[in-house]
């Protein structure tokens, strides 16, 4: 470890808490919305299509502007963008809470998505700048990730309590106090924006192309998951891919691109990004299937299902805190690959799951094994770029996560649906919820078979990912340890990622 690297003190750790609290409450907000849907759709008389847009408008806009917001923060100032995003998020939350019709709520959720995109990569970039010491940075990233995962753990519980005592709009007001706290304490605790901005201007054409690529692609993937291979989602996906190709061509031609494609020449960078994409894609679909299993097969109500998942979520929270400590002693290659091996064991357990206990145990192993990847992988991605481009790198990481989740639900969800249709008894509905009581036993068995198949495919994919990580990351040192000196007669590989990451 470089003795000249400044170590963070009380101010930085307190600032981390101020950054982590909004992340926690925003994460809670996403989970409690699903619990509030029956109440709010009844009060607002929302149609089925409007209900879907209430849920999806946030994710669509979040995905669409993440890359742009990362670049904006790098160029115009991260703290300024964070405070702007927090202000907009707080105001939009109040508007959503008191929405009087579905359109008003849909628009408020869309604005919340834009504000969330402004805060996400900006927060991670600020953490990278506040914690220069690699070991402290790894711990700080683990705390930040834990705050987001914590929302999944306590979201159903908090939502159940709020909805039992207050109206549905109360779930949107959860984030408001955290945003006020961030705006009140942030100026004293968070580092100020440098007077020397990134010299490159923002390319408005690239911003428009990224939005035109991501929005139709995410829409197409989500609709394919819901309705199968219909013309509209296929066309939307094709449009998104065409704009994505145009976006990439423009980035190669620009002197100061919105996304520096040269980063992908680094094997560690692209492997970490790809591994986190896979790690988001697989549990996305698996978690959806497990939630449905708990409610439609095991008979739990939504709150009971959320409580049943607490041990699995807790395993992930513990792993994100232990992984940075282990990273100080062990190289990333065996640490990440070993963790993914634990995840594979959890997925293999899910291939035989026929009870709640086995399902929760398998998911707990999966979450625990992913800890080293999500903490070390995030550090590798952000640590592969100069500090002035940390926001752009963080936005790429979060964009990969958004796409991974959407693609996982679409592909793995379609696979599970195909297995269900093949095994369900004649006359059963397209889903368990639409199946008559007389055919439920057979339909439940078919649904469980679909979960088994998805878990098996996921286990194979995760095992291949572990092998790739073991090979590509083998040259990286434990966090905080200097790189081994290169022999005089050999040049360092051009695409090798940095030797020290958080």
């Amino acid at each position: 470890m470089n003795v000249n690297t400044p170590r963070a003190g009380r101010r930085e750790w307190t600032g981390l808490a101020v950054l982590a609290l909004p992340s926690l409450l925003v994460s809670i907000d996403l989970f409690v919305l699903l619990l509030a849907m029956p109440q709010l759709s009844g009060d607002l008389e929302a149609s089925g299509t409007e209900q879907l847009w209430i849920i999806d408008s946030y994710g669509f806009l979040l995905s669409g502007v993440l890359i742009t917001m990362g670049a904006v923060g790098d160029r115009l100032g991260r703290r300024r963008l964070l405070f702007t995003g927090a202000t907009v998020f707080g105001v939009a939350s109040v508007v959503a809470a008191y929405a009087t019709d579905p359109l008003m709520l849909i628009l408020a959720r869309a604005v919340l998505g834009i504000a969330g995109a402004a805060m996400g990569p900006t927060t991670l970039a600020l953490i990278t700048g506040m914690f220069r010491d690699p070991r402290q940075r790894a711990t700080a990233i683990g705390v930040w990730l834990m705050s987001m995962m914590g929302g999944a753990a306590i979201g159903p519980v908090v939502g159940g309590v709020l909805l039992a005592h207050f109206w549905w709009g109360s779930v949107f007001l959860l984030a408001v106090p955290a945003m006020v706290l961030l705006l009140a304490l942030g100026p004293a605790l968070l580092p100020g924006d440098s007077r020397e901005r990134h010299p490159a201007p923002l390319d408005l054409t690239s911003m428009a192309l990224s939005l035109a690529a991501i929005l139709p692609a995410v829409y197409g993937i989500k609709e394919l998951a819901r309705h199968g291979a219909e013309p509209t989602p296929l066309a939307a996906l094709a449009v998104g891919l065409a704009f994505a190709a145009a976006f990439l061509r423009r980035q190669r031609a620009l002197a100061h691109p919105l996304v520096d494609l040269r980063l992908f020449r680094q094997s560690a960078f692209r492997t970490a990004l790809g591994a986190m994409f896979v790690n988001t894609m697989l549990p996305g679909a698996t978690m959806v299937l497990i939630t449905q299993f708990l409610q439609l097969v095991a008979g739990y109500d939504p709150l009971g299902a959320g409580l049943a998942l607490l041990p699995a979520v807790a395993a992930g929270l513990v792993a994100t805190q232990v992984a940075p400590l282990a990273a100080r002693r062990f190289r990333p290659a065996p640490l990440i690959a070993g963790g993914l091996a634990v995840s594979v064991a959890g997925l293999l357990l899910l291939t035989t799951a026929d009870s709640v206990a086995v399902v929760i145990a398998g998911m707990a192993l999966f979450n625990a094994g992913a800890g080293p990847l999500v903490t070390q992988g995030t550090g590798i991605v952000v640590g592969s770029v100069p500090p002035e481009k940390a926001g752009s790198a963080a936005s790429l990481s979060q964009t990969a996560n958004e796409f991974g989740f959407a693609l996982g639900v679409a592909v793995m969800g379609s696979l599970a649906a195909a297995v269900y249709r093949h095994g369900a008894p004649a006359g059963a509905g397209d889903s368990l919820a639409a199946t008559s009581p007389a055919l439920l036993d057979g339909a439940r068995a078919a649904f469980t078979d679909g979960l088994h198949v998805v878990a098996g495919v996921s286990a194979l994919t995760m095992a291949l990912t572990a092998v790739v990580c073991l090979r590509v990351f083998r040259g990286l040192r434990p966090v905080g340890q200097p790189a081994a000196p290169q022999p005089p007669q050999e040049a360092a590989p051009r695409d090798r990622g940095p030797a020290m990451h958080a």
Side-chain angles (χ1 to χ4, degrees):
M1 182 174 59
N2 189 350
V3 296
N4 295 322
T5 302
R7 291 180 60 82
R10 182 181 301 175
R11 175 185 174 186
E12 285 77 15
W13 289 109
T14 307
L16 174 64
V18 172
L19 291 173
L21 181 59
S23 299
L24 171 67
L25 293 180
V26 169
S27 180
I28 291 175
D29 180 80
L30 297 179
F31 283 92
V32 298
L33 174 64
L34 298 178
L35 292 177
M37 278 304 297
Q39 286 189 25
L40 71 86
S41 60
D43 288 350
L44 300 181
E45 299 181 352
S47 66
T49 300
E50 289 170 334
Q51 292 177 43
L52 292 177
W53 277 109
I54 289 170
I55 295 173
D56 288 340
S57 56
Y58 179 94
F60 285 159
L61 271 296
L62 177 71
S63 304
V65 300
L66 266 172
I67 291 177
T68 295
M69 288 301 179
V72 169
D74 288 341
R75 288 163 169 80
L76 303 182
R78 294 163 191 161
R79 195 173 78 161
R80 179 186 301 175
L81 182 61
L82 176 67
F83 292 164
T84 302
T87 302
V88 174
F89 200 98
V91 172
S93 295
V94 174
V95 173
Y98 293 96
T100 55
D101 58 68
L103 179 59
M104 183 177 177
L105 184 54
I106 291 170
L107 294 177
R109 292 272 299 160
V111 174
L112 284 170
I114 297 173
M119 291 190 294
T122 304
T123 297
L124 183 53
L126 281 170
I127 291 173
T128 302
M130 290 162 59
F131 296 90
R132 299 287 186 178
D133 177 76
R135 295 183 174 185
Q136 288 187 321
R137 186 189 306 158
T139 301
I141 290 175
V143 170
W144 179 68
L145 289 170
M146 184 184 71
S147 70
M148 292 192 296
M149 294 178 64
I154 65 177
V157 179
V158 173
V161 172
L162 286 175
L163 294 173
H165 295 88
F166 304 100
W167 93 114
W168 58 263
S170 62
V171 302
F172 292 107
L173 298 179
L174 275 174
V176 175
M179 300 304 157
V180 172
L181 186 66
L182 173 60
L183 294 171
L185 300 181
L189 296 172
L190 303 179
D193 295 323
S194 173
R195 293 181 179 275
E196 297 180 3
R197 296 279 179 254
H198 194 293
L202 280 171
D203 181 50
L204 298 181
T205 301
S206 292
M207 293 168 60
L209 286 174
S210 70
L211 195 66
I214 293 174
L215 287 181
V218 173
Y219 171 79
I221 291 172
K222 284 181 175 288
E223 290 302 300
L224 286 172
R226 290 187 182 127
H227 306 296
E230 294 186 351
T232 299
L234 288 174
L237 185 58
V239 169
L241 292 175
F243 277 111
F247 174 80
L248 293 176
R249 284 197 301 270
R250 185 168 181 83
Q251 302 317 292
R252 294 190 183 98
L254 291 175
H256 302 287
L258 196 66
V259 174
D260 190 352
L261 299 181
R262 292 173 297 180
L263 293 173
F264 290 89
R265 298 176 185 173
Q266 301 181 40
S267 58
F269 177 89
R270 62 176 180 263
T271 300
L273 203 62
M276 289 193 294
F277 175 86
V278 170
N279 186 64
T280 307
M281 180 179 71
L282 299 181
T286 306
M287 180 62 77
V288 171
L289 291 174
I290 287 176
T291 302
Q292 293 177 341
F293 177 90
L294 292 174
Q295 296 183 64
L296 301 178
V297 177
Y300 285 46
D301 60 22
L303 180 58
L307 292 173
L309 287 170
L310 284 180
V313 177
L317 294 177
V318 172
T320 58
Q321 297 309 294
V322 173
L325 300 177
R328 301 179 182 183
R329 301 187 60 183
F330 302 101
R331 290 174 177 266
L335 184 62
I336 292 175
L340 294 181
V342 175
S343 292
V344 171
L347 289 168
L348 291 176
L349 188 59
L350 286 174
T351 63
T352 64
D354 57 0
S355 67
V356 172
V358 177
V359 166
I360 298 304
M363 199 64 195
L365 285 174
F366 184 96
N367 288 346
L373 173 61
V374 296
T375 55
Q376 293 298 99
T378 302
I380 290 173
V381 169
V382 179
S384 297
V385 301
E388 65 271 12
K389 294 186 178 181
S392 296
S395 68
L396 284 175
S397 175
Q398 295 195 354
T399 301
N401 289 339
E402 290 292 325
F403 267 105
F405 186 86
L407 187 63
V409 171
V411 175
M412 296 300 186
S414 298
L415 176 61
V419 174
Y420 171 80
R421 288 192 297 269
H422 182 267
D430 291 335
S431 66
L432 283 177
T435 300
S436 64
L439 301 175
L440 267 181
D441 287 343
R444 285 169 175 164
F447 180 89
T448 305
D449 289 341
L451 172 61
H452 293 168
V453 171
V454 167
V457 173
S458 299
L460 176 61
T461 307
M462 190 64 79
L464 294 174
T465 303
V467 171
V468 173
C469 290
L470 186 63
R471 179 180 179 277
V472 174
F473 296 149
R474 67 185 184 276
L476 303 184
R477 306 282 291 177
V479 170
Q481 293 188 16
Q486 292 286 342
Q489 69 275 17
E490 296 182 5
R494 291 184 61 186
D495 69 340
R496 176 76 44 92
M500 179 175 67
H501 297 290

